């Protein structure tokens, strides 16, 4: 009978203490749950990831009172103008966005979110967002500041490109 040696709690962080690795493992677990949620949302709304990203981008722009051009969407998504046109064609055919003339530049168009999109997004995601906000509302100001600082630092760590 052979004895299997005890495996470390974490693949990447064998030398680190359990408290540090538990944070990283909790982050991984959250990210996996978020990826699964995005997949379920895509299926529920019968859309791909870029389509959902466009709807979210347009919703945020509307809240800020900003106009959005196809060029801005191409830059945001990191895709070609031809791919953006095809994406917007699909979203316009499904009634999720509309394109209209840009009043400040006759050579371009503006893309706007339809009411159908807003209703569909809210119907699909509102319960999840309410559960998430309930957690945040239960935090005191110091806890929120700690979480925000941590997430900002983690974002900065993953945004750096290692060549």
């Amino acid at each position: 009978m052979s004895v299997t040696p005890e495996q470390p709690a974490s693949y990447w962080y064998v030398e680190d203490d359990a408290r540090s690795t538990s944070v990283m493992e909790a982050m991984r677990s959250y990210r996996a749950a978020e990826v699964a949620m995005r997949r379920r949302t895509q299926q529920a709304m019968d859309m791909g990831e870029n389509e959902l990203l466009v709807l979210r981008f347009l919703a945020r722009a509307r809240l800020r009172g900003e106009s959005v051009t196809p060029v801005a969407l191409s830059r945001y998504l990191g895709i070609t103008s031809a791919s953006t046109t095809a994406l917007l064609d699909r979203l316009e055919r499904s009634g999720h966005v509309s394109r209209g003339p840009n009043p400040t530049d006759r050579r371009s168009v503006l893309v706007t979110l339809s009411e159908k999109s807003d209703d569909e997004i809210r119907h699909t995601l509102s319960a999840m967002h309410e559960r998430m906000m309930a957690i945040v509302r239960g935090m005191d100001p110091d806890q929120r500041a700690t979480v925000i600082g941590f997430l900002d630092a983690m974002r900065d760590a993953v945004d750096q490109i290692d060549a």
Side-chain angles (χ1 to χ4, degrees):
M1 176 177 194
S2 66
V3 176
T4 306
E6 188 174 315
Q7 296 294 315
S10 174
Y11 175 80
W12 286 107
Y13 313 105
V14 176
E15 301 300 321
D16 289 300
D17 69 89
R19 289 175 300 177
S20 297
T21 57
S22 66
V23 171
M24 296 302 290
E25 293 303 323
M27 284 268 305
R28 279 188 179 26
S29 178
Y30 171 78
R31 287 184 62 229
E34 186 177 37
V35 166
M37 176 274 301
R38 289 186 187 283
R39 205 172 292 124
R40 290 188 308 271
T41 301
Q42 289 172 11
Q43 290 171 344
M45 293 181 70
D46 194 27
M47 291 185 179
E49 184 173 353
N50 278 348
E51 282 121 340
L52 288 176
L53 288 172
V54 165
L55 298 184
R56 184 172 33 187
F57 186 89
L58 292 171
R60 287 180 178 152
R62 181 167 59 189
L63 286 173
R64 293 187 301 261
E66 298 172 354
S67 299
V68 177
T69 63
V71 170
L73 291 171
S74 292
R75 286 186 188 133
Y76 172 69
L77 296 171
I79 62 176
T80 66
S81 61
S83 294
T84 302
T85 298
L87 178 77
L88 292 175
D89 287 346
R90 286 192 304 273
L91 288 170
E92 193 168 38
R93 274 194 308 273
S94 67
H96 289 92
V97 303
S98 61
R99 290 181 271 198
N102 183 341
T104 62
D105 181 355
R106 292 181 9 187
R107 298 167 295 161
S108 75
V109 297
L110 297 179
V111 183
T112 56
L113 191 67
S114 71
E115 288 303 315
K116 172 186 176 177
S117 279
D118 195 45
D119 292 345
E120 193 171 346
I121 291 167
R122 288 183 187 284
H123 173 75
T124 304
L125 300 175
S126 63
M128 178 200 58
H129 280 274
E130 187 53 42
R131 289 189 302 270
M132 292 170 71
M133 285 304 296
I135 294 165
V136 174
R137 287 181 193 115
M139 299 170 77
D140 65 45
D142 289 339
Q143 290 172 318
R144 284 193 292 272
T146 299
V147 170
I148 291 167
F150 169 75
L151 292 174
D152 285 347
M154 293 302 278
R155 181 201 61 233
D156 292 345
V158 300
D159 269 352
Q160 295 178 16
I161 297 173
D162 296 331

